[in-house]
Amino acid sequence: MRRLAVLRHDLPASLVVFLVAVPLSLGIALASGAPIVAGLIAAVVGGVVAGALGGSPLQVSGPAAGLTVLMAETITTFGWQVTCLITVLAGALQVLLGLSRVARAALAISPAIVHGMLAGIGVTIVLGQLHVILGGKAQSSALDNLAELPRQLVEHHGAATLIGVLALAILLIWPKLPAVVRKVPGPLAAITVATGVSVLAGLTLPRVELPGDLLQIRFAPELPSGGWADLAVAVVTIALIASVESLLSAVAVDKLHNGPRGNLNRELIGQGAANMASGALGGLPVTGVIVRSSTNVAAGAKTRASAVLHGVWVLVFVVALAGLLKSIPLAALAGLLVHVGVKLVNPGHLKQVLRHGDLPLYLVTVAGVVGFDLLTGVVAGVVLAVLLMLRRTVWSGIHIEQRGDECRVVVEGVLTFLSVPRLSKVLATVPAGSKVTLELVVDYLDHAAFESITTWQQAHERAGGTVTIDEIGHPWFGKGTEGRPTVRRTAANRTMPRWLAPWSAWQAADLPLPEQRTHRGATEFQRRAAPLLKETLGKLAHAQQPHTLFITCGDSRIVPNLITTSGPGDLFTIRNIGNLVPAEQADPSMNAAVEFAVGVLGVREIVVCGHSSCGAMGALADGAPPGTALAEWMTHAQPSKKRSGPVTLDGDRPSREPDRLALHNVLQQLDHLRQYPLVADAEERGKLVLSGLYFDVGEAQVYLADPARGAFVSAETPAMTAPTPSRG
């Protein structure tokens, strides 16, 4: 079966990739300033060695445009033979990195830096190869190429310009041609047509130069005479960049197919072995190449055999048809490289970077690559990424709100020594003698920040002002004031959110009067909750569509939306003493509420919720004071007291009589609801579900009623799911 897959899928795919690889390999060698044949050697070795040993089965490796700038600088600095040694050593370093199983660490580099690196390389390639198309020669740097470009544009343009523009034009229009024509790879078509035109027209222009006998090539690596520190930097740089490009390409290839996922550590070992072989044979460095790899997947490859075979075809072509290569004009290859360079500046990547707020990383990396060199650009991007990470990690939102003689200073985020200068600047604007509330919503507060706040507080109070420290969350400042500061985030106790915590937990000590607490609670809502809820409440402004009628006790400890994880517009709530449902005609208020919820709002569920330590059930058990309104109201609960048989709570009967009555009461009120004709009809038609809940206040535990068994089961029990009404 494997041989059949190779014949049916991998063999045709390898031929397609081979046709794409040959012109790209030649063009990359040209742009790198290396011997032209070095690109072909890298293509052969990348296909055979990396294809056989790598961990990404469908990735195709070879010389990459991403290393052209760096290789040009390396060749200029060290010469070609020492560069071959650098490639071998870089490959050995890659093997060590793969064996140490740190391949995934390379993925920590921000995608914005990688995209910026590719864009910078693309800009550099375009600026250099435009000179070749225009009949000149590329300068030593991107800035020199940019400076010389206006003069090059106005000079006389000969045959080279014609051929370069022709190749570029073919590449631009190729994707718009019929699918039958596009079966031939665009790069192959562009180089073939441009070469054919130049030969038939008898044009005299620079062409590819190859040794007389390719099989007798000798590019043995050579030791340098000195400069070992610079050589070591070059080795590490090439190894890291080649590794990152290969690993990112492997990850991208995995997203293009449904076959086995790549082993990144093995892929790094395979890439290292290929670079050692390529450098030893006189080839360029090898990386995984997304252009060839995506072509491989699109052509239907199923196994690594396609990548290996593509390398074999390149070798056969070079040996058997070297004469054809010598006919290719350098301007045609330059046109191909301009096209490749433009594609490296991917607008889609730029949009993605913009969405994630990483444009500074992208721009700094591009500027560094174009203005200096690839290593400088990448390092600049990494340094900026680290600085931005630190800024985001220690960010503190500090602002001041002033109303008359009162000031409110809000500090949010992480408050460390890095935030002290800005904190001091804001606090310095607080008017002397004013009444200040310092609101701390911080995840961490270090010693320097604590001292800064304490010093300012003392100075402000000496000047006649007052300072109230209002901490939301863990009491970082309060602990420090008590002389036992919290020094680690992990040691900070979990605190209840302000919108959930009772007033006694955060404001009762300062505001003993209930009306003061209500006012402050309303202010807290307006400041914090209202902006978050405005959109939701805006949609509910003119109509409500609750899904549940929730009947529960008036007890202050029961918060329906909290224990059901619901929000505004979800529950139509009725609260009374003991969560009772009187007979239909006994209580007009309940009758009207049920009629409105079921008949008008069309709720799909009615829930009756009882709870532990219920005062009404205590009155039912012991008897309410005679002659009181409570005694009259509790007559509606007498049927609950008369129910027989045990009702269990997770298999056990509650020890207290009021709690046992509370369980019976929930089931009894569900029976009362079924005596309402509107409810009974909706339930019979499958339009309505009746459910019972019991909330254990002390344990913060919700139980769901199972009337058939006379039991309540913990809501955490997986098998206990609420029934749903039909949609008929």
Side-chain angles (χ1 to χ4, degrees):
M1 292 296 292
R2 179 178 174 82
R3 291 181 179 178
L4 182 61
V6 170
L7 290 175
R8 287 187 56 192
H9 303 288
D10 295 325
L11 181 59
S14 69
L15 291 170
V16 174
V17 178
F18 148 70
L19 294 174
V20 172
V22 170
L24 285 176
S25 300
L26 294 172
I28 290 168
L30 171 67
S32 301
I36 293 294
V37 73
L40 298 172
I41 293 172
V44 174
V45 174
V48 176
V49 179
L53 301 180
S56 181
L58 301 187
Q59 173 151 271
V60 181
S61 301
L67 284 170
T68 53
V69 177
L70 179 58
M71 292 311 299
E73 296 171 356
T74 305
I75 294 168
T76 301
T77 303
F78 296 99
W80 175 244
Q81 289 181 299
V82 176
T83 298
C84 290
L85 174 66
I86 291 173
T87 301
V88 173
L89 296 176
L93 180 57
Q94 285 182 290
V95 172
L96 292 176
L97 291 173
L99 291 174
S100 63
R101 309 186 70 81
V102 297
R104 290 188 178 274
L107 300 180
I109 296 178
S110 169
I113 296 175
V114 176
H115 297 326
M117 176 190 74
L118 294 175
I121 291 168
V123 171
T124 303
I125 290 174
V126 170
L127 291 175
Q129 296 308 307
L130 278 176
H131 285 276
V132 179
I133 290 180
L134 296 172
K137 291 184 178 181
Q139 304 299 312
S140 58
S141 71
L143 295 181
D144 289 339
N145 283 320
L146 182 61
E148 288 292 320
L149 191 57
R151 183 183 62 80
Q152 192 74 59
L153 287 170
V154 299
E155 285 190 351
H156 175 72
H157 304 133
T161 303
L162 173 65
I163 295 302
V165 171
L166 174 62
L168 185 57
I170 293 172
L171 289 166
L172 291 174
I173 67 171
W174 203 254
K176 301 177 182 179
L177 297 179
V180 176
V181 178
R182 286 188 280 110
K183 289 184 177 180
V184 178
L188 178 65
I191 298 302
T192 301
V193 172
T195 301
V197 170
S198 70
V199 172
L200 292 175
L203 300 178
T204 301
L205 67 173
R207 300 180 187 272
V208 170
E209 296 181 1
L210 294 176
D213 187 352
L214 289 176
L215 296 179
Q216 298 299 318
I217 295 174
R218 291 291 183 268
F219 290 127
E222 183 179 280
L223 293 173
S225 57
W228 289 98
D230 293 337
L231 183 139
V233 171
V235 168
V236 173
T237 303
I238 291 175
L240 291 179
I241 293 175
S243 298
V244 170
E245 188 168 347
S246 296
L247 294 174
L248 291 177
S249 175
V251 172
V253 172
D254 278 348
K255 297 178 182 179
L256 299 177
H257 66 89
N258 297 319
R261 303 295 90 181
N263 181 325
L264 296 184
N265 289 307
R266 178 180 170 182
E267 179 63 21
L268 204 52
I269 294 172
Q271 293 292 333
N275 274 320
M276 292 175 69
S278 182
L281 295 173
L284 284 167
V286 168
T287 72
V289 185
I290 190 61
V291 175
R292 303 180 200 191
S293 301
S294 59
T295 301
N296 191 40
V297 174
K302 300 298 181 184
T303 72
R304 66 179 67 248
S306 176
V308 175
L309 286 173
H310 120 274
V312 173
W313 302 143
V314 175
L315 177 61
V316 171
F317 176 82
V318 171
V319 173
L321 301 172
L324 289 179
L325 296 179
K326 295 180 181 180
S327 302
I328 299 176
L330 297 183
L333 294 177
L336 172 61
L337 285 169
V338 167
H339 185 258
V340 170
V342 170
K343 292 183 71 174
L344 287 175
V345 187
N346 191 321
H349 290 163
L350 183 56
K351 291 179 181 178
Q352 187 179 33
V353 167
L354 278 170
R355 283 198 299 269
H356 288 274
D358 284 337
L359 183 61
L361 292 182
Y362 182 90
L363 295 177
V364 165
T365 305
V366 171
V369 172
V370 174
F372 298 94
D373 52 54
L374 190 141
L375 178 60
T376 302
V378 172
V379 170
V382 170
V383 170
L384 180 59
V386 171
L387 293 176
L388 291 176
M389 178 196 69
L390 289 174
R391 179 182 180 276
R392 291 164 181 166
T393 302
V394 303
W395 173 86
S396 298
I398 306 171
H399 66 275
I400 184 170
E401 300 174 4
Q402 189 165 352
R403 295 180 180 178
D405 294 334
E406 296 186 8
C407 289
R408 175 171 171 262
V409 181
V410 181
V411 182
E412 299 175 291
V414 177
L415 195 57
T416 68
F417 65 96
L418 295 173
S419 305
V420 167
R422 183 158 176 261
L423 175 65
S424 301
K425 180 180 179 181
V426 173
L427 293 178
T429 63
V430 176
S434 61
K435 181 179 180 181
V436 181
T437 298
L438 180 59
E439 190 171 293
L440 298 177
V441 195
V442 298
D443 301 319
Y444 178 73
L445 184 144
D446 72 358
H447 188 202
F450 172 80
E451 288 289 346
S452 178
I453 295 175
T454 302
T455 302
W456 170 82
Q457 179 184 12
Q458 294 170 350
H460 188 76
E461 290 175 345
R462 283 197 301 269
T466 62
V467 178
T468 301
I469 305 294
D470 186 8
E471 290 192 89
I472 300 176
H474 180 79
W476 295 97
F477 188 84
K479 292 284 188 180
T481 303
E482 294 170 3
R484 46 191 184 94
T486 306
V487 297
R488 298 185 307 277
R489 287 192 189 186
T490 54
N493 60 288
R494 297 170 62 186
T495 56
M496 194 179 298
R498 285 276 280 267
W499 52 266
L500 171 59
W503 284 334
S504 58
W506 61 279
Q507 63 168 315
D510 298 329
L511 303 173
L513 300 179
E515 61 270 21
Q516 291 178 313
R517 301 177 197 174
T518 303
H519 180 272
R520 186 172 181 184
T523 302
E524 183 78 7
F525 167 82
Q526 203 62 49
R527 287 174 177 170
R528 297 195 172 277
L532 302 176
L533 291 172
K534 186 175 182 179
E535 182 178 355
T536 299
L537 292 175
K539 297 176 182 178
L540 299 171
H542 303 293
Q544 60 169 321
Q545 292 182 318
H547 55 70
T548 298
L549 168 59
F550 198 90
I551 302 172
T552 191
C553 186
D555 194 295
S556 63
R557 297 166 294 179
I558 309 303
V559 186
N561 290 105
L562 176 64
I563 64 176
T564 60
T565 316
S566 54
D570 293 334
L571 304 181
F572 186 79
T573 304
I574 301 174
R575 305 188 69 146
N576 60 43
I577 302 301
N579 45 271
L580 302 180
V581 181
E584 184 182 14
Q585 301 302 324
D587 182 20
S589 175
M590 177 62 72
N591 190 28
V594 172
E595 182 179 285
F596 182 72
V598 177
V600 179
L601 297 178
V603 297
R604 306 297 295 274
E605 182 181 25
I606 300 180
V607 173
V608 176
C609 177
H611 65 95
S612 63
S613 304
C614 179
M617 294 301 102
L620 182 63
D622 301 332
T628 62
L630 176 61
E632 182 179 354
W633 174 251
M634 292 309 296
T635 58
H636 300 300
Q638 290 301 317
S640 300
K641 189 174 183 179
K642 296 176 182 179
R643 288 178 66 94
S644 60
V647 179
T648 60
L649 196 65
D650 257 357
D652 299 319
R653 295 187 68 191
S655 59
R656 298 179 66 251
E657 175 63 16
D659 293 343
R660 294 195 293 270
L661 280 175
L663 298 177
H664 279 290
N665 186 55
V666 170
L667 300 181
Q668 184 63 43
Q669 304 316 310
L670 292 175
D671 290 342
H672 286 176
L673 280 167
R674 291 186 173 94
Q675 296 172 11
Y676 284 60
L678 193 63
V679 173
D681 178 65
E683 186 181 31
E684 183 179 356
R685 291 186 294 109
K687 298 291 186 180
L688 185 66
V689 168
L690 270 60
S691 304
L693 293 185
Y694 178 83
F695 182 60
D696 188 323
V697 176
E699 297 295 328
Q701 177 69 58
V702 177
Y703 295 88
L704 307 177
D706 185 354
R709 293 193 299 159
F712 283 75
V713 182
S714 170
E716 293 178 340
T717 304
M720 193 61 196
T721 56
T724 56
S726 67
R727 295 181 180 274

